[in-house]
């Protein structure tokens, strides 16, 4: 399935997407930014937990906030959700400046990383209470609670005490709580942490629905890169409080793009492939893998990659096709988001 | 999982800061106290204690060696002590308890102003006092020695208790806002209470002792009740003894009002 990435202007393969996502992405690209973050820094004494963070988010976008432990993801979310005030910089949400936290809170929904729940309350009571805190009268709060319980798949457990809920059910209840005020921006801090695969799938579907059907912007902090690839339209990678990369998933992959391709050809075509790759544009070196015939790696020149957009795939494939070498497999080494993430953050160097 | 319905969108888009956020918080906190075991079990234990005391005072001639006025005074003083202590502990649990249970962040993410959150929690914390006083009224009626004593005892107890409860529940809320640990909050608040309560058990005589008793809101309040019930003074005669409880209540409420505005996810004033 194809999706249009507004920031790159290119159509990219989006395996988790569908036509609705594409339409939403186009709508999103045309819309005004709902969240504008401008050089926000948050310090705790001498420690800068978030440093000079700037980005914009549009309606319907799902932005993945990635980073290793201690990168500043939770602090960034707490600043943007007005729990902490920025030390420097500013941000606006729906045009409301960060100096009006009460007004911003009316526009956002948050699932905190360590969300606790009053275990003696029922799910319905919990949602009713929060709907009341957002200014809804009692009757409306009841209707909202009932409707949200249906939406997050907890309708049958709404009258059970939260103490009896599983981790996944509590997380879904937390998402429901974040939706009681119909927020324009939703911050989800590690929403799938501790969930089993089925729970993770349910949560991701819910997140996609929130962005797709409500047109809400979702800022998703997570450790799980697969999730980001699946649901996020854009990614911001934080490391030691600093945004070290921002762009679409495809952009990020390209930015840490591999300099090496791994090619599998029939053993009898090994020499032809070796020769073709050696002469291919931008290739600095070609090696046989473990002297095994049919397996080759081609390493590209960095300067050439920078000049040509960092995509070596076309040049290498073209060289092989030109000499009629059958390509059994062709793989970019390090072409996954996890590779990009590791190479961009310090974890990759440990 | 069902998909999100658009039909309810308009219904929910009315989100705004509630005009009476403090009331919403207070009602929920009251439910938590009175519909759970905490409030009812305290009232039950308290009424059990008063029943025992009243029974002994009313029926056991050998044990009933103290004057009836003293017995009424004892009932009112016990009600005061327990009411103030429980309100203090409820106040001390309000914020730091939510921090420990990790439910505070969700509350802070609502548009309800911090002061209203603090006010709602404070009101719930003091709710135990009028209930305990109400429970004590029939016991005071049973033990009363004369027609004037009942009214004076109830009014004196209610006035002093209300002032001290407001002061100490506010103190609990203040400590709770500033403390990251619930245990620390409860211990610090209770320590202050015990320090102020201790002089009521010590005979404070002479100029210095009298001034200490008048400055300390607990001893001053206790003396006021004692003189109204035991010495049979009128309420107006001993009004100067109410100065310390009034000042304590006003200062504690004012400080709580200021500190509540700086309620944060972590303890301390501002970060």
């Amino acid at each position: 399935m194809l999706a249009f990435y507004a920031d790159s202007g290119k159509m990219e393969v989006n395996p988790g997407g569908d036509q609705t996502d594409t339409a939403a992405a186009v709508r999103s690209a045309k819309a005004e930014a709902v969240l504008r973050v401008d050089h926000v820094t948050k310090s705790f004494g001498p420690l800068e937990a978030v440093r000079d963070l700037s980005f914009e988010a549009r309606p319907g976008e799902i932005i993945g906030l990635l980073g290793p432990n201690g990168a500043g993801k939770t602090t960034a979310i707490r600043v943007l959700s007005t729990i902490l005030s920025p030390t420097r910089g500013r941000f606006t949400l729906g045009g409301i400046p960060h100096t009006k936290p009460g007004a911003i809170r009316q526009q956002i929904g948050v699932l905190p990383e360590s969300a606790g729940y009053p275990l003696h309350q029922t799910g319905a009571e919990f949602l009713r209470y929060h709907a009341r805190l957002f200014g809804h009268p009692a009757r409306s709060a009841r209707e909202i609670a009932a409707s949200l319980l249906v939406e997050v798949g907890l309708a049958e457990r709404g009258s059970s005490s939260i103490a009896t809920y599983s981790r996944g059910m509590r997380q879904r209840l937390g998402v429901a709580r974040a939706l009681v005020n119909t927020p324009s921006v939703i911050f989800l801090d590690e929403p799938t942490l501790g969930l089993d695969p089925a729970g993770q799938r349910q949560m991701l579907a819910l997140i996609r629905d929130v962005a797709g059907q409500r047109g809400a912007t979702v800022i998703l902090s997570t450790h799980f890169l697969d999730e980001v690839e699946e649901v996020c339209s854009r990614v911001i990678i934080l490391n030691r409080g600093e945004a070290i990369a921002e762009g679409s998933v495809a952009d990020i992959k390209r930015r840490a793009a591999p300099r090496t391709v791994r090619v599998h050809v029939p053993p009898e075509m090994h020499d032809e492939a070796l020769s073709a790759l050696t002469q291919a544009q931008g290739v600095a070196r070609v090696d046989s893998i473990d002297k095994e015939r049919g397996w080759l790696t081609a390493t590209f020149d960095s300067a050439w990659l920078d000049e040509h957009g960092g995509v070596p795939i076309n040049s290498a494939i073209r060289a092989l096709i030109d000499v009629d070498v059958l390509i059994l497999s062709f793989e970019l080494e390090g072409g996954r988001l996890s590779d990009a993430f590791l190479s961009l953050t310090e974890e990759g160097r440990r | 999982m069902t998909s999100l319905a658009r039909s309810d969108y308009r219904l929910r888009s009315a989100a705004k800061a509630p005009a009476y956020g403090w009331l919403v918080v207070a009602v929920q906190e009251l439910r938590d106290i009175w519909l759970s075991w905490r409030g009812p079990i305290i009232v039950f234990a308290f009424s059990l204690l008063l029943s025992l005391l009243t029974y002994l005072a009313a029926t056991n001639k050998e044990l009933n060696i103290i004057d009836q006025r003293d017995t009424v005074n004892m009932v009112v003083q016990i009600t005061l002590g327990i009411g103030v202590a429980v309100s203090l502990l409820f106040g001390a649990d309000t914020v730091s308890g939510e921090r420990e249970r990790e439910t505070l962040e969700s509350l802070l993410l609502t548009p309800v102003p911090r002061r209203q959150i603090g006010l709602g929690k404070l009101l719930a914390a003091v709710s135990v006092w009028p209930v305990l006083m109400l429970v004590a009224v029939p016991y005071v009626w049973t033990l009363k020695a004369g027609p004037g004593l009942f009214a004076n005892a109830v009014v004196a107890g209610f006035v002093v208790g209300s002032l001290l409860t407001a002061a100490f529940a506010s103190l609990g809320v203040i400590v709770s806002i500033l403390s990251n640990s619930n245990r620390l909050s409860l211990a610090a608040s209770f320590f202050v209470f015990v320090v102020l309560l201790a002089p009521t058990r010590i005979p404070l005589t002479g100029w210095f002792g009298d001034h200490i008793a008048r400055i300390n809101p607990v001893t001053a309040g206790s003396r006021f009740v004692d003189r109204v019930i035991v010495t049979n003074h009128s309420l107006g005669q001993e009004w100067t003894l109410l100065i310390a409880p009034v000042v304590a209540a006003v200062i504690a409420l004012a400080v709580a009002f200021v500190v509540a505005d700086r309620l944060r996810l972590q303890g301390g004033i501002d970060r």
Side-chain angles (χ1 to χ4, degrees), chain A residues 147-230:
Chain A
S147 156
L148 283 171
L149 284 168
V150 171
E151 290 170 12
V152 300
L154 290 174
E156 289 176 5
R157 297 296 305 276
S159 53
S160 306
S161 86
I162 299 173
T164 65
Y165 285 18
S166 67
R167 165 98 186 159
M169 292 164 76
R170 288 181 194 181
Q171 288 294 77
R172 278 186 277 147
L173 183 67
V175 172
R177 192 209 64 78
L179 296 174
V180 292
N181 54 326
T182 317
S184 52
V185 179
I186 298 165
F187 298 93
L188 303 173
D189 198 353
E190 303 284 2
T192 56
L193 198 66
L195 301 188
D196 60 22
Q200 288 181 3
R201 301 240 45 95
Q202 284 183 325
M203 182 57 72
L204 292 181
L206 184 57
I207 291 168
R208 215 180 279 122
D209 280 351
V210 166
Q213 296 190 24
R214 288 174 177 252
T217 303
V218 177
I219 309 291
L220 171 68
S221 162
T222 180
H223 277 102
F224 300 109
L225 303 176
D226 292 348
E227 292 176 0
V228 173
E229 290 205 70
E230 191 173 331

Side-chain angles (χ1 to χ4, degrees), chain A residues 260-280:
Chain A
T260 304
V261 296
R262 179 192 291 251
V263 185
H264 187 199
V265 297
E268 63 276 15
M269 293 185 166
H270 182 94
D271 294 335
E272 288 165 81
L274 185 73
S275 165
L277 287 173
T278 307
Q279 290 166 30

